[in-house]
Amino acid sequence: MSSTASGKNGTWRNWGGNVVTRPAREVTPASVDELAEALRRAAEDGMKVKAVGTGHSFTSIAATDGVLIRPQLLTGIRKIDRDDMTVTVEAGTPLKRLNLALAREGLSLTNMGDIMEQTVSGATSTGTHGTGRESASIAAQLKGLELVTADGSVLVCSEKENPEVFAAARIGLGALGVVTALTFAVEPVFLLTAREEPMSFDKVLAEFDELWAENEHFEFYWFPHTGSTNTKRNNRSAGPAEPVSQVAGWIEDELLSNGVFQVAQWVGRAAPATIPAIARLSSKALSARTYTDIPYKVYTSPRRVRFVEMEYAVPREAVTETLRELRTMIDGSGLRISFPIEVRTAPADDITLSTASGRDSAYIAVHMVKGTPYQGYFTAAERIFTAYEGRPHWGKVHTRDAEYFAGVYPRFEEFTALRDRLDPDRLFQNDYLRRVLGT
Ligand SMILES: Cc1cc2nc3c(=O)[nH]c(=O)nc-3n(C[C@H](O)[C@H](O)[C@H](O)COP(=O)(O)OP(=O)(O)OC[C@H]3O[C@@H](n4cnc5c(N)ncnc54)[C@H](O)[C@@H]3O)c2cc1C
């Protein structure tokens, strides 16, 4: 997987292949000063600006036909502070590099998402999350942030310094400025024991509250057209480490999760009628396993099958009802869904436009393999999610607009007022932000 999104002949293309743009200019600043200069030049030339990460968003949130700021030269660890237990990194640092560097220092983030290809700034800007009972998104682990705003000035913020900016800019959607450095809370590296186990969909729904309450990190994948799920429970462990062996890891993660899954997707795309049978086989391919390892090796794994995704956060207490409706919709629709549906949770946090802002949340993610029509499925799923005041992931496909967000985010106007203050001329505007935040 390439470390940054790119396209051909001057185009920029996201990982999912569903967003393609042609920026007028590309800049790869190597310092905060060079970045500030690039912003000043763009403003003088009357051009819009967008900083991108690795293009792992499925929405056009990172798209621009103006100046594209690439992250490659703003990478690396600035400082590890063992008294405060924080690490400060340059904004373009890939999560993978951060995780490896922290592990070498005997440190770790508390929680993370499914992959670690994204940049730290890209991941936090859209609210990237894993699953957790007490521990929340990657942005919720931030202690500080450095931002270059539209006028070229550098703004440092934390709970104590510019707290109103910190409240919003941790998940800033690229709308408030260009993030140049992020300070994360870290902890001594720890071990997690992962228990992966098939379980019936009805049992997971019936016992969801207990499964959530009894585990630090509970998630599951449901295979549509079947009554089967794969559950995953990650809990801290005193050890010893018992990693997945290289051979078993290759068979389970590469061959079954990526290789066989890819073939199943090709067959399903060519002959949609076979999908329910393939789904039944896929749901049985992975058997139970238990392993113990350091956090990033348990939380993340490679995703080689390209797909397009929609994910909504609904109030946690509504998750089983929402999933039952989703099952009824799929069963009655004639849709053929070959990709499992992923369900995760997050506790309420205090970030203005976090999908879990002020609300204990459950995430439901629907996927379609790249190249297959997804609109019918996603539209029907979105109708169900929005009936529960769902909040879409900012980086995953959705059709909501500013009017909708004003209704589901109690602090929406706090964010737009800050944007008016920091970017009155809309240097960081693009079509996506016009839709979700207003002009
Ligand atoms: C295979 C795959 C797996 C995924 N797994 C998960 C998951 O487990 N959990 C989850 O929540 N999401 C997941 N996602 C979604 C992904 O984490 C987010 O879309 C994330 O934002 C992508 O990061 P990126 O570095 O590619 O940023 P991009 O998509 O390139 O950009 C995202 C946003 O960040 C802004 N941005 C980037 N850099 C800066 C900067 N320096 N200053 C200001 N703004 C900036 C951009 O302008 C844009 O608004 C996944 C996506 C894929 C493709």
Side-chain angles (χ1 to χ4, degrees):
M1 198 180 292
S2 71
S3 60
T4 50
S6 58
K8 289 186 186 117
N9 307 324
T11 58
W12 179 89
R13 184 183 290 272
N14 69 339
W15 182 91
N18 62 323
V19 179
V20 184
T21 55
R22 184 180 292 277
R25 187 190 294 166
E26 291 198 19
V27 187
T28 312
S31 67
V32 174
D33 286 346
E34 281 183 29
L35 171 68
E37 178 53 27
L39 298 189
R40 267 192 291 272
R41 269 197 57 207
E44 275 165 25
D45 296 344
M47 295 168 87
K48 303 293 180 196
V49 174
K50 194 77 359 212
V52 296
T54 52
H56 275 67
S57 296
F58 300 96
T59 56
S60 52
I61 190 166
T64 186
D65 54 9
V67 179
L68 184 85
I69 310 263
R70 289 204 173 262
Q72 286 92 330
L73 298 182
L74 283 175
T75 60
I77 310 277
R78 268 195 200 175
K79 182 177 166 194
I80 291 178
D81 185 330
R82 287 183 187 271
D83 294 329
D84 285 352
M85 286 304 277
T86 57
V87 59
T88 301
V89 278
E90 304 287 339
T93 309
L95 278 169
K96 187 196 285 172
R97 189 163 157 197
L98 172 61
N99 284 334
L100 290 168
L102 287 176
R104 271 197 303 274
E105 297 287 333
L107 300 169
S108 177
L109 296 177
T110 300
N111 199 358
M112 55 196 89
D114 288 342
I115 59 160
M116 50 179 186
E117 303 300 320
Q118 315 93 314
T119 57
V120 288
S121 53
T124 51
S125 293
T126 63
T128 296
H129 61 90
T131 191
R133 188 183 55 204
E134 285 93 19
S135 58
S137 71
I138 302 179
Q141 296 168 62
L142 283 172
K143 290 287 176 197
L145 183 141
E146 182 187 276
L147 191 70
V148 179
T149 53
D151 62 6
S153 58
V154 178
L155 195 62
V156 175
C157 60
S158 66
E159 261 169 26
K160 294 210 178 85
E161 207 174 351
N162 298 307
E164 77 294 354
V165 179
F166 186 62
R170 279 174 285 169
I171 300 182
L173 319 183
L176 303 176
V178 179
V179 176
T180 44
L182 293 164
T183 300
F184 291 95
V186 292
E187 54 179 314
V189 72
F190 54 95
L191 290 171
L192 283 170
T193 293
R195 171 73 185 157
E196 294 174 11
E197 191 180 315
M199 197 179 282
S200 81
F201 189 44
D202 286 335
K203 186 170 158 73
V204 176
L205 292 189
E207 295 177 10
F208 183 82
D209 288 343
E210 293 90 80
L211 288 162
W212 168 81
E214 286 165 6
N215 294 287
E216 288 165 84
H217 308 271
F218 175 71
E219 66 182 307
F220 69 94
Y221 291 89
W222 166 49
F223 294 81
H225 314 296
T226 80
S228 308
T229 75
N230 266 320
T231 59
K232 186 170 180 186
R233 285 169 257 197
N234 299 332
N235 288 289
R236 285 183 193 231
S237 147
E242 283 179 37
V244 178
S245 80
Q246 273 194 342
V247 175
W250 185 83
I251 291 174
E252 283 152 7
D253 296 328
E254 284 302 324
L255 187 67
L256 293 178
S257 295
N258 283 306
V260 172
F261 190 55
Q262 172 78 75
V263 173
Q265 296 301 320
W266 284 332
V267 174
R269 199 163 65 182
T274 62
I275 284 176
I278 293 173
R280 280 191 291 277
L281 277 177
S282 300
S283 69
K284 294 198 167 57
L286 296 167
S287 48
R289 62 175 180 169
T290 303
Y291 52 95
T292 301
D293 215 328
I294 60 171
Y296 79 81
K297 295 190 179 178
V298 170
Y299 291 130
T300 70
S301 56
R303 298 290 147 105
R304 302 201 200 286
V305 179
R306 300 261 166 160
F307 55 83
V308 179
E309 179 176 350
M310 165 184 280
E311 180 178 57
Y312 266 74
V314 296
R316 201 183 63 234
E317 63 274 12
V319 67
T320 52
E321 219 176 309
T322 314
L323 285 165
R324 283 195 184 93
E325 279 193 39
L326 202 57
R327 172 168 60 184
T328 306
M329 181 278 285
I330 292 171
D331 289 349
S333 67
L335 289 165
R336 294 283 177 263
I337 314 301
S338 57
F339 233 96
I341 289 173
E342 186 177 20
V343 182
R344 296 180 278 184
T345 67
D349 66 41
D350 64 351
I351 306 172
T352 320
L353 291 189
S354 163
T355 45
S357 188
R359 184 166 98 176
D360 290 337
S361 300
Y363 294 94
I364 304 176
V366 296
H367 313 70
M368 284 297 252
V369 72
K370 182 183 167 189
T372 46
Y374 58 82
Q375 285 82 356
Y377 176 33
F378 285 11
T379 303
E382 190 171 43
R383 206 171 291 134
I384 295 170
F385 299 145
T386 52
Y388 289 96
E389 299 198 341
R391 298 169 178 170
H393 190 301
W394 296 106
K396 300 186 185 178
V397 175
H398 69 88
T399 66
R400 301 297 90 190
D401 61 12
E403 194 185 338
Y404 179 84
F405 289 121
V408 296
Y409 281 104
R411 297 168 66 189
F412 187 71
E413 279 176 21
E414 189 184 317
F415 190 97
T416 52
L418 182 67
R419 181 185 186 221
D420 288 343
R421 196 184 101 201
L422 297 182
D423 187 16
D425 300 325
R426 301 291 188 256
L427 182 66
F428 304 112
Q429 183 75 293
N430 66 1
D431 289 345
Y432 179 85
L433 291 184
R434 197 172 292 114
R435 167 159 71 91
V436 303
L437 296 177
T439 49

